[in-house]
Amino acid sequence: RTPHVFGLVPDPYGAGVGIERTNHLIHPPYLAGAGSLQPIEDLLRTARRMRPDLKSVGLVWNAAEANSLAQTRIARQVCSNLNLALIEANAENSAAVLESANAVIARGAEALWISGDVTVSLATDQVINAARRARIPVFSSLPGAVLKGALFDLGANYVDIGRHVGQIAAEVLDGKSPAAMPIDNVMTALFLYNETVLPTLRDRWEIPPDLRQSAAGQITATSTNLPQLSVPKKQARLQPQPGRTYRISLVYFAPESAGDSCRQGLLDGLRDLGFVEGKNLEVRRSHAQAEIANIPALLQNLDSSDVDVVVPMSTPVISGACSLIKRKP
């Protein structure tokens, strides 16, 4: 009875939840969303273009991740078609990634690929550091790795995918039935490169002119020109309503200097946001006189008062507030 909207799933058709791969309108009627399978074949062909003699690519991945398994299966087929050896190693957690990366390098990997594997992506720095020591490149399906030292990224524009999934959610909230919405693969691919990596490599890699021209962004020796890879977080700015007086209750265990400083800091912060005691803010202070037995009655009285919010301080008062205050935030 509750609609579900999903995103950031590379292969929803293989997830085992009843989404048909060939007819995208066949899926659970309460489910809507979008797949985001990375352009793995294009990525591997791009690597081959940068180094026509490339014979092997190393991949560290977590076999417990269904998304990673789907990508690895595609990569195996593509590598077979390109006569590339895909040298694989498993990492069950991010702590094991560095050891696995070193293992595939020792087995002859001439480059490392970071797929959309979540476990490995959390250790991107370790993969790049291992490759740097071996003087081989890293390429990634997760745009943004070029900032950490990858040679190139070819993968999803996740800001666009997030906006697309948000639009689906908005349509569902507006009353559109998920059953009538096809579950498609949505992929706006980004190609980014970092040419400062080239001089550090033991083998000859080149970025062909047409790839440079098609890039959405690049890092050179003199500049960094990359597209928006994330949405800046905006800090909410509270604004008091004109003409309203806000009432808060500061309740604590007993007067003491550290608590006094903390309460003053709270009031200073409220003043900076426009909530000024004596102007549009009424502050009521009360304490339990250092007696645990006084806390319940104190809090119950506040819960039935006209304050807008109760601010409990010190462990015994906070513990009591969690169980006794039912009406006030």
Side-chain angles (χ1 to χ4, degrees):
R1 288 174 291 185
T2 302
H4 291 48
V5 177
F6 70 86
L8 289 179
V9 180
D11 184 23
Y13 319 110
V17 296
I19 305 173
E20 177 60 48
R21 192 177 294 275
T22 55
N23 185 344
H24 294 176
L25 277 170
I26 298 177
H27 56 77
Y30 55 83
L31 190 65
S36 53
L37 184 63
Q38 291 92 342
I40 296 167
E41 181 172 359
D42 289 345
L43 177 140
L44 291 167
R45 289 187 179 277
T46 296
R48 172 57 68 76
R49 287 198 61 201
M50 289 187 180
R51 184 165 181 257
D53 293 336
L54 181 65
K55 294 181 176 61
S56 61
V57 173
L59 171 66
V60 179
W61 64 290
N62 185 352
E65 291 189 28
N67 67 310
S68 192
L69 176 60
Q71 295 167 79
T72 301
R73 285 173 172 165
I74 294 172
R76 288 170 181 163
Q77 184 60 56
V78 173
C79 284
S80 177
N81 295 340
L82 294 175
N83 197 26
L84 273 174
L86 186 64
I87 303 174
E88 303 176 31
N90 193 237
E92 295 180 355
N93 52 58
S94 295
V97 169
L98 178 59
E99 183 179 353
S100 296
N102 286 327
V104 297
I105 292 171
R107 290 161 54 196
E110 298 173 339
L112 299 182
W113 166 44
I114 299 176
S115 69
D117 187 294
V118 176
T119 300
V120 179
S121 69
L122 293 173
T124 294
D125 289 328
Q126 296 182 43
V127 176
I128 291 175
N129 287 337
R132 187 178 287 128
R133 287 192 293 271
R135 299 182 62 205
I136 64 174
V138 172
F139 45 88
S140 170
S141 295
L142 302 169
V146 289
L147 284 166
K148 298 181 176 183
L151 174 59
F152 74 89
D153 302 327
L154 181 54
N157 184 330
Y158 286 106
V159 174
D160 283 355
I161 289 174
R163 291 190 176 116
H164 181 78
V165 175
Q167 182 61 42
I168 294 173
E171 292 176 7
V172 171
L173 288 171
D174 279 344
K176 187 171 182 177
S177 170
M181 304 172 76
I183 295 179
D184 297 324
N185 189 67
V186 176
M187 174 56 60
T188 304
L190 279 180
F191 172 61
L192 313 171
Y193 66 87
N194 182 347
E195 72 174 19
T196 66
V197 175
L198 294 174
T200 69
L201 303 177
R202 72 185 186 200
D203 300 315
R204 183 176 178 82
W205 289 72
E206 293 182 331
I207 304 170
D210 61 314
L211 287 179
R212 291 177 180 270
Q213 224 170 12
S214 68
Q218 62 281 322
I219 297 174
T220 68
T222 57
S223 66
T224 297
N225 180 25
L226 297 176
Q228 182 186 25
L229 298 172
S230 63
V231 177
K233 293 181 180 179
K234 295 181 179 179
Q235 186 170 354
R237 180 73 180 180
L238 299 176
Q239 294 292 336
Q241 296 175 10
R244 177 179 172 183
T245 297
Y246 295 83
R247 298 178 178 87
I248 68 170
S249 174
L250 304 182
V251 54
Y252 45 101
F253 189 56
E256 46 88 20
S257 59
D260 292 343
S261 297
C262 182
R263 287 182 285 279
Q264 187 58 52
L266 173 67
L267 296 177
D268 291 346
L270 285 167
R271 185 185 63 246
D272 292 344
L273 292 168
F275 300 85
V276 181
E277 186 175 12
K279 181 179 177 183
N280 60 357
L281 178 67
E282 180 183 328
V283 182
R284 301 177 187 176
R285 299 165 176 84
S286 55
H287 59 81
Q289 299 176 334
E291 293 288 343
I292 296 287
N294 293 338
I295 293 175
L298 187 63
L299 293 173
Q300 287 164 348
N301 287 337
L302 291 173
D303 201 23
S304 59
S305 71
D306 63 348
V307 298
D308 298 303
V309 64
V310 177
V311 184
M313 294 181 167
S314 70
T315 300
V317 180
I318 293 170
S319 299
C322 288
S323 59
L324 295 169
I325 292 185
K326 306 297 183 183
R327 301 181 185 90
K328 300 296 180 183

